[in-house]
Amino acid sequence: MNVDTSPENPCARSHVVVGDGITAVAFIENCQLNAGDELVVLGKNASQLGRGVAYAAGERGTPWRFAYLLNSPADDIDPAFAHWLSERWGDVQNIMRGRRPDWLAAAQPLAAAGDVYGVNAPRELYGDFVVAQAEERMEKLRAVGVKVRLMDVCAISIAEVDGMLQIKTADGQTIVADSVDVAPGGPSNLRIDGDDGRFSAPTLFGHEKRIAEHVRRGAEIFCIGGNAAMLDALRLCQSIIPEDALRFVACAPDGEVPPPLIPRIPRKLTKPKLSTGHASAKSFLDEISEAIQIARDQGDEMREIRAGFRAHFLENGVSTYVSESAEARQVPATLRFWLRGGTRDTIVDMHKLIQRGKARMIKGMVVEIEHGDDRARVLIRDTEGKELVHETGFVINCAGAGPTSEYDPLTEHMIRQGWVDKCPVSKGLVVGPGCSTRLPKVRHLSPATTVIGDEVMAMPLYDAHILRTYARRAYV
């Protein structure tokens, strides 16, 4: 597919965005296109541009539709979204009324205080907001004469041929472009032996119906991992059966539930004061740990600490403080763990369920799942290296990314070609200044990006606000 480069339109160019999530929308919001140019969006669900996997529309009629919530308060995600949500609060109440767990009851103290901005909204609603933004942007492009094409197809490879970029798709098409922005999702879930069997699922999303069958029959649900996906799994269970009938177990290396992010009025951000010139990652992390403790001693809560450090590191990369690159690249994983977020409502519920004996955390790492006639056997290695066996009803792999995780086909192709690097230290992706790659006129920005040019990111870009910020900066 080529744009019209006839004499009537000699300067027209074609720009391709690969991806269908929020990063793709951020690239589209900032790319500069003129009358006669063409914008092509390639993605599995490009026709629902903006949702991606994270903010997908749930299946109608299922009890878990709208159960999955944002990990942060609405105005931490995007103040414009918080305003959008507030304007539609009556409609939101109608959508959520009568659903289990009782999201409206959890939101009521904030709503009563006039702080709808502070709720952890259903992710599907944020998807509605992003889709509306994407449609508005595309209408503006069409209004000035830009041709816009959304194609529900996955890109698998890219090459430069005669000065143009050629993108191959999974269905055998070749898309020709002058420039390309690649905005894929993050890496795949870490696979564990036996995680796709009679009594297990390799991930939560897409397997809800099968998991629900086991929840309804009263089986204990065992989650591998203590992250946001584990909290989503709990929400799924809560949406299906009464909490008194729940049996829920999660296994994570630290054996802890992350702290809830609770907003307060007036809003406050922790303002860290950090010194430069650190010779090692340990030295810098020690200072950050001390700064976090000082903030807590001064009365700051985790939402304020996390949001404050996030804002600080958006303006000051780790390399500002740790000049030696290999040392700087050791910082993101630890910092992300310390400042990890999670859905406040579900974290609060998890603590209550643990106190009532309906849920519990196991400290350790799952190494294998075996399947019997009517249950699963989970092999766990504890912190001392001893192996334990836990018999359970059904296992959900919520481990998140790991050493054997894979990226989307196009990113894997670009890594093989040497156009994008994997960082052996941070385990994330490395791109050049402005998200550039070694293939000219091609940018790449993923939630797993940890190094952009000379800047080491403080945290991998799992946060929607951070992703949009760096996509915007790529065009400055």
Side-chain angles (χ1 to χ4, degrees):
M1 179 183 65
N2 291 286
V3 296
D4 176 13
T5 55
S6 63
E8 291 78 17
N9 195 17
C11 297
R13 64 188 186 93
S14 176
H15 180 66
V16 170
V17 174
V18 179
D20 52 27
I22 191 164
T23 316
V25 174
F27 274 134
I28 292 167
E29 286 173 339
N30 291 283
C31 67
Q32 302 298 315
L33 296 171
N34 302 307
D37 291 346
E38 184 170 40
L39 170 67
V40 181
V41 183
L42 306 177
K44 185 178 180 181
N45 295 301
S47 56
Q48 282 287 299
L49 179 61
R51 290 197 182 278
V53 174
Y55 314 116
E59 185 177 351
R60 293 179 181 274
T62 59
W64 54 86
R65 188 181 182 192
F66 302 110
Y68 305 143
L69 308 180
L70 295 170
N71 295 333
S72 300
D75 57 351
D76 271 8
I77 295 292
D78 185 341
F81 168 64
H83 179 71
W84 182 93
L85 190 74
S86 179
E87 285 189 323
R88 293 161 177 78
W89 187 243
D91 293 336
V92 172
Q93 287 178 300
N94 291 334
I95 290 170
M96 300 303 293
R97 188 169 289 114
R99 293 185 180 274
R100 193 167 53 192
D102 194 344
W103 180 82
L104 283 176
Q108 178 55 31
L110 290 164
D115 190 17
V116 168
Y117 281 37
V119 304
N120 288 65
R123 290 209 292 266
E124 181 174 337
L125 296 185
Y126 185 58
D128 292 344
F129 167 75
V130 179
V131 167
Q133 283 195 316
E135 290 175 347
E136 181 180 351
R137 170 59 174 161
M138 288 185 291
E139 283 305 310
K140 288 181 178 178
L141 289 172
R142 292 187 181 102
V144 298
V146 176
K147 302 173 185 176
V148 178
R149 184 179 303 192
L150 307 180
M151 301 176 63
D152 289 335
V153 64
C154 294
I156 59 173
S157 69
I158 185 170
E160 185 179 19
V161 179
D162 297 330
M164 298 293 287
L165 297 162
Q166 292 189 359
I167 304 102
K168 301 286 187 181
T169 65
D171 63 355
Q173 297 184 70
T174 299
I175 313 299
V176 178
D178 294 275
S179 55
V180 178
D181 288 331
V182 183
S188 64
N189 210 25
L190 174 67
R191 297 304 302 273
I192 295 170
D193 287 346
D195 70 357
D196 192 8
R198 184 178 177 189
F199 299 105
S200 63
T203 182
L204 169 64
F205 309 111
H207 295 268
E208 286 95 340
K209 286 186 177 179
R210 190 159 70 95
I211 296 167
E213 292 175 5
H214 293 270
V215 174
R216 289 190 179 102
R217 70 175 177 82
E220 178 185 87
I221 302 301
F222 184 104
C223 281
I224 303 171
N227 54 22
M230 178 274 288
L231 297 172
D232 286 336
L234 177 56
R235 296 283 297 184
L236 172 72
C237 295
Q238 290 175 294
S239 75
I240 296 168
I241 59 175
E243 289 185 353
D244 285 343
L246 276 175
R247 291 194 295 152
F248 189 85
V249 179
C251 179
D254 66 330
E256 296 179 359
V257 182
L261 305 179
I262 302 173
R264 295 188 291 183
I265 297 177
R267 291 287 192 267
K268 177 185 177 184
L269 293 182
T270 297
K271 295 183 178 180
K273 296 179 180 179
L274 304 171
S275 59
T276 59
H278 289 274
S280 68
K282 182 181 183 304
S283 171
F284 186 44
L285 288 168
D286 285 347
E287 184 178 20
I288 293 173
S289 178
E290 183 179 350
I292 291 173
Q293 188 56 54
I294 289 171
R296 284 176 170 156
D297 292 344
Q298 292 175 345
D300 291 5
E301 295 184 351
M302 194 59 205
R303 181 264 159 198
E304 295 154 349
I305 294 170
R306 183 176 186 270
F309 271 88
R310 182 186 70 174
H312 179 84
F313 282 119
L314 270 173
E315 300 302 324
N316 306 275
V318 175
S319 304
T320 304
Y321 302 98
V322 185
S323 57
E324 209 285 312
S325 178
E327 289 292 324
R329 294 182 189 197
Q330 294 179 39
V331 172
T334 299
L335 191 57
R336 177 174 175 263
F337 176 72
W338 286 351
L339 300 177
R340 68 195 187 279
T343 299
R344 175 191 64 247
D345 306 42
T346 320
I347 291 172
V348 171
D349 287 351
M350 183 75 173
H351 284 297
K352 290 178 181 176
L353 291 166
I354 288 172
Q355 291 173 359
R356 293 170 53 196
K358 298 297 180 181
R360 67 189 181 105
M361 294 288 299
I362 296 175
K363 190 174 184 178
M365 294 183 65
V366 174
V367 295
E368 188 178 354
I369 303 158
E370 297 176 346
H371 297 267
D373 293 334
D374 60 353
R375 68 191 65 191
R377 298 176 72 247
V378 185
L379 279 61
I380 304 167
R381 185 176 294 119
D382 68 13
T383 53
E384 298 178 353
K386 297 178 182 178
E387 286 202 354
L388 312 172
V389 176
H390 181 89
E391 294 193 349
T392 191
F394 194 88
V395 181
I396 308 173
N397 185 353
C398 300
T404 60
S405 295
E406 295 182 350
Y407 294 92
D408 62 286
L410 180 58
T411 298
E412 290 288 346
H413 167 78
M414 295 181 73
I415 292 170
R416 289 193 300 271
Q417 296 297 321
W419 296 325
V420 172
D421 292 331
K422 283 185 178 180
C423 177
V425 179
S426 69
K427 310 303 181 186
L429 295 179
V430 180
V431 294
C435 302
S436 62
T437 70
R438 293 192 183 95
L439 187 61
K441 299 182 181 179
V442 179
R443 296 183 181 88
H444 190 289
L445 181 61
S446 159
T449 301
T450 55
V451 182
I452 299 178
D454 295 327
E455 183 175 353
V456 177
M457 317 305 300
M459 294 175 282
L461 307 182
Y462 296 126
D463 184 293
H465 173 69
I466 297 175
L467 277 165
R468 297 185 86 163
T469 298
Y470 279 94
R472 181 174 65 251
R473 290 179 183 176
Y475 275 90
V476 175

